[in-house]
Amino acid sequence: MADQPVMLITGASSGIGAETARAAAKQGYRLVLAARSEDKLKGLQQELGGEAQVLTVQCDVQNGDDQKNMVDHALKTFGRIDAVFANAGRGGEPGGFSRADPEVWKDMILTNIYGVGLTLQHCLPALRESKGHLLLTGSAAGRVTIPGSMYSATKWAVSAIGYGVREELRGSGIRVTLIEPGMVDTPFFDEPPAHALKPEDIANAVMYAVAQPAHVDVNEILVRPTPLGE
């Protein structure tokens, strides 16, 4: 068991994070699953092999102490971290730039940008030790202009973080992959979107990236639903 690789996932309690945990478990990974509510992770822990295989950690990614505790607990439990999926994020901003609630913006920016930065800062020492893999959940919204969308702006920022950290880590052996989904049917939406991807589709993209040999660095994976005709 000690030679099993370890993947840490933030935002792991549902959607893309939970499906990536399932996919990684099938590929032999031990897991560190983090979310704001640790209670929501317990069912996933039991499903994927119990405490021997899955560590659950309460973590608000906006809180540096939570993030430090997450990494410390992971290393104390498993001794290593081989892959980090900085996946935690939020949306929800009706009203555009004209009428959106600025408190919603504040929480979104702190989660989607500052939280990602904290995850990187606290996880990179362990990834340097393992010459591991860093993955970030960006978005197709971080490649296009969406009218009135602060969410899109935060995902442009995640794209910039991905490019910037890759350059910072050049020569370290750490691989960096931006995962950029289009519309995905997750709890992110109040109403299920039509013609959307499934969370497992994005989990498959994550697992493709981490499955490549060490000399192959998959920089970006942009995944959109297949366009349907009228």
Side-chain angles (χ1 to χ4, degrees), residues 8 12 25 27 34 55 143 152 173 186 195:
L8 183 152
Q27 296 299 318
L55 170 67
R143 283 175 166 252
S152 177
T186 72
H195 312 308

Side-chain angles (χ1 to χ4, degrees), residues 140-203:
R143 283 175 166 252
V144 299
T145 300
I146 298 177
S149 177
M150 185 66 81
Y151 172 78
S152 177
T154 69
K155 289 303 185 179
W156 277 85
V158 173
S159 296
I161 290 170
Y163 278 84
V165 75
R166 184 181 296 115
E167 290 306 309
E168 179 180 345
L169 296 174
R170 187 173 294 277
S172 69
I174 300 173
R175 299 183 290 179
V176 178
T177 302
L178 273 165
I179 304 292
E180 300 168 316
M183 195 76 75
V184 182
D185 184 1
T186 72
F188 189 90
F189 295 100
D190 294 330
E191 296 292 331
H195 312 308
L197 297 163
K198 298 176 181 178
E200 51 264 40
D201 300 324
I202 311 308

Side-chain angles (χ1 to χ4, degrees), residues 28-230:
Y29 279 85
R30 293 174 291 172
L31 298 167
V32 180
L33 304 182
R36 287 187 181 186
S37 174
E38 189 177 1
D39 290 343
K40 293 181 179 179
L41 298 171
K42 291 302 184 183
L44 201 54
Q45 181 185 52
Q46 292 309 308
E47 175 190 341
L48 300 179
E51 293 182 3
Q53 293 293 109
V54 180
L55 170 67
T56 65
V57 185
Q58 188 280 326
C59 180
D60 179 347
V61 294
Q62 298 181 22
N63 186 307
D65 289 339
D66 279 7
Q67 296 241 31
K68 181 179 185 301
N69 175 68
M70 172 183 72
V71 173
D72 289 348
H73 204 172
L75 294 175
K76 182 178 179 180
T77 302
F78 293 135
R80 59 195 281 185
I81 300 173
D82 300 278
V84 172
F85 186 21
N87 170 67
R90 66 151 297 178
E93 50 168 342
F97 290 116
S98 302
R99 296 180 301 278
D101 180 350
E103 288 303 310
V104 171
W105 280 348
K106 183 177 180 180
D107 188 60
M108 184 189 305
I109 290 166
L110 288 173
T111 299
N112 295 6
I113 304 174
Y114 180 64
V116 169
L118 288 177
T119 299
L120 268 57
Q121 191 166 84
H122 288 284
C123 289
L124 283 177
L127 287 178
R128 287 183 185 277
E129 285 289 321
S130 64
K131 292 183 168 55
H133 200 142
L134 173 64
L135 305 103
L136 303 90
T137 299
S139 175
R143 283 175 166 252
V144 299
T145 300
I146 298 177
S149 177
M150 185 66 81
Y151 172 78
S152 177
T154 69
K155 289 303 185 179
W156 277 85
V158 173
S159 296
I161 290 170
Y163 278 84
V165 75
R166 184 181 296 115
E167 290 306 309
E168 179 180 345
L169 296 174
R170 187 173 294 277
S172 69
I174 300 173
R175 299 183 290 179
V176 178
T177 302
L178 273 165
I179 304 292
E180 300 168 316
M183 195 76 75
V184 182
D185 184 1
T186 72
F188 189 90
F189 295 100
D190 294 330
E191 296 292 331
H195 312 308
L197 297 163
K198 298 176 181 178
E200 51 264 40
D201 300 324
I202 311 308
N204 289 340
V206 172
M207 298 315 297
Y208 168 78
V210 299
Q212 300 311 301
H215 70 283
V216 177
D217 187 3
V218 180
N219 287 185
E220 297 180 70
I221 303 180
L222 173 63
V223 187
R224 287 189 171 110
T226 303
L228 298 178
E230 296 298 325

